[in-house]
Amino acid sequence: MPLIKHEIYIDAPINVCFDLARNVDVHIETAKKTKERAIDGVKAGLMENGDIVTWEAIHLGIKQELTAKIIKMERPYKFIDVMVKGAFHSFTHTHEFSEDGTGTIMIDIFSYQSPFGILGKIADKLFLEKYMRAFIVNRAKELKSIAENSK
């Protein structure tokens, strides 16, 4: 099961970073490249523990839907979302935040299991893990830009 971990420093308070990371509108803004939009469940504003959202996006040239649920929230330090329905066999995305001086360290930990058994494992090695890492890193950079420019 691939595990992607990405850490970034954001020059903004922890509460700001935490709220931006769980904001549906900000998620849409930071995932413009995949034309992501919320089509069911929470469609705008802040996600809370237990909330579900269905995303529609274009990944790897294919329009897809993915439903995720927030299963744990420890404001403003952590929240975890898991896939309920979608293209992966499963995934868990942990978002962690810690104060660092006047800023925040944001850590994304994304573990997933591809569908299709051995074919999925081959896809991971050939392109999927690299694609998912780039998606997570790009979203983090976009979130950092929004947080630091909203001061």
Side-chain angles (χ1 to χ4, degrees):
M1 182 182 300
L3 177 77
I4 297 167
K5 185 174 181 180
H6 179 258
E7 184 174 312
I8 192 167
Y9 175 81
I10 303 172
D11 188 17
I14 192 170
N15 289 324
V16 169
C17 297
F18 183 82
D19 285 348
L20 287 173
R22 65 189 179 104
N23 187 308
V24 172
D25 304 300
V26 172
H27 183 97
I28 291 167
E29 178 69 20
T30 61
K32 284 187 286 193
K33 290 180 181 179
T34 58
K35 299 182 175 132
E36 203 143 330
R37 64 189 188 108
I39 61 169
D40 198 15
V42 178
K43 295 182 187 175
L46 298 177
M47 302 274 296
E48 299 292 346
N49 193 34
D51 282 349
I52 296 175
V53 62
T54 299
W55 301 101
E56 179 184 86
I58 299 173
H59 289 284
L60 302 167
I62 302 166
K63 185 187 270 188
Q64 301 178 36
E65 289 184 11
L66 184 140
T67 302
K69 178 178 182 175
I70 295 183
I71 61 164
K72 184 174 188 175
M73 186 173 291
E74 298 169 6
R75 190 176 292 117
Y77 302 106
K78 176 194 273 190
F79 69 95
I80 301 171
D81 60 279
V82 298
M83 186 192 79
V84 174
K85 181 180 176 186
F88 292 98
H89 176 58
S90 64
F91 81 60
T92 300
H93 189 173
T94 302
H95 310 256
E96 295 180 347
F97 306 84
S98 61
E99 294 175 308
D100 185 15
T102 59
T104 303
I105 301 288
M106 182 177 80
I107 302 171
D108 285 288
I109 304 166
F110 185 78
S111 63
Y112 70 94
Q113 185 175 355
S114 297
F116 311 123
I118 190 71
L119 293 176
K121 289 179 182 182
I122 292 169
D124 288 338
K125 297 296 180 201
L126 292 177
F127 63 88
L128 188 56
E129 188 173 353
K130 182 178 177 182
Y131 176 85
M132 291 309 303
R133 180 175 302 282
F135 181 76
I136 287 166
V137 168
N138 183 68
R139 279 206 61 243
K141 288 178 181 176
E142 292 285 330
L143 195 140
K144 173 183 172 73
S145 178
I146 291 168
E148 291 179 350
N149 290 321
S150 68
K151 288 182 173 182

